[in-house]
Amino acid sequence: MHTARGIALAFGLFALSFALHVIGGRLDQDWLFTLAVALIYVFATGFGVVAWIGAGARSGDRLTLFLGGLAAVALTVSALWAANDRSFAWWQWPLAPVLTLISSVALYGAWRLALRMRPAQARPAGRGA
């Protein structure tokens, strides 16, 4: 159940970013379009970590990380396809897992830092010490 919740949350954030990109393009608002593309990148490449955090960030939750990681690579290949004028190139396939790994590590590090910076009384029991 936790895995489904995390995957749904991560997909919802990705879908909202995609919708924002469509709206920004339709309204001819370059700043909104650019922000949305950046969010698409973050939520595509970091899909697995976002899903894992959304599922409760359990240390032994390999299923959420695995399924989220697969989705992250697929979404990243799709984003690279879109950025390459909607055509596939050989470099998209090896680059997608690399970008996914880099972004996932960065998001995980940012999440851990955010947990450490919260005041002690705001931390949930058993996390972030």
Side-chain angles (χ1 to χ4, degrees):
M1 186 61 168
H2 298 289
T3 297
R5 182 182 68 212
I7 298 280
L9 175 71
F11 182 76
L13 291 169
F14 177 80
L16 284 173
S17 301
F18 193 82
L20 191 62
H21 134 275
V22 171
I23 292 168
R26 281 293 219 187
L27 296 177
D28 203 25
Q29 296 291 319
D30 290 339
W31 68 272
L32 185 58
F33 183 83
T34 302
L35 174 65
V37 167
L39 290 172
I40 288 171
Y41 175 83
V42 168
F43 291 122
T45 58
F47 193 93
V49 172
V50 172
W52 179 73
I53 292 169
R58 291 166 171 67
S59 62
D61 190 2
R62 296 182 205 281
L63 179 63
T64 303
L65 284 171
F66 176 73
L67 293 176
L70 288 178
V73 171
L75 290 171
T76 302
V77 167
S78 299
L80 292 172
W81 168 82
N84 193 37
D85 207 21
R86 295 187 198 137
S87 61
F88 285 110
W90 71 268
W91 52 266
Q92 294 166 342
W93 303 97
L95 184 59
V98 172
L99 291 176
T100 297
L101 180 64
I102 291 168
S103 294
S104 296
V105 169
L107 281 174
Y108 176 77
W111 174 73
R112 291 291 297 169
L113 182 63
L115 281 181
R116 286 192 200 142
M117 294 180 73
R118 289 184 359 192
Q121 67 272 18
R123 289 187 194 138
R127 280 200 200 148

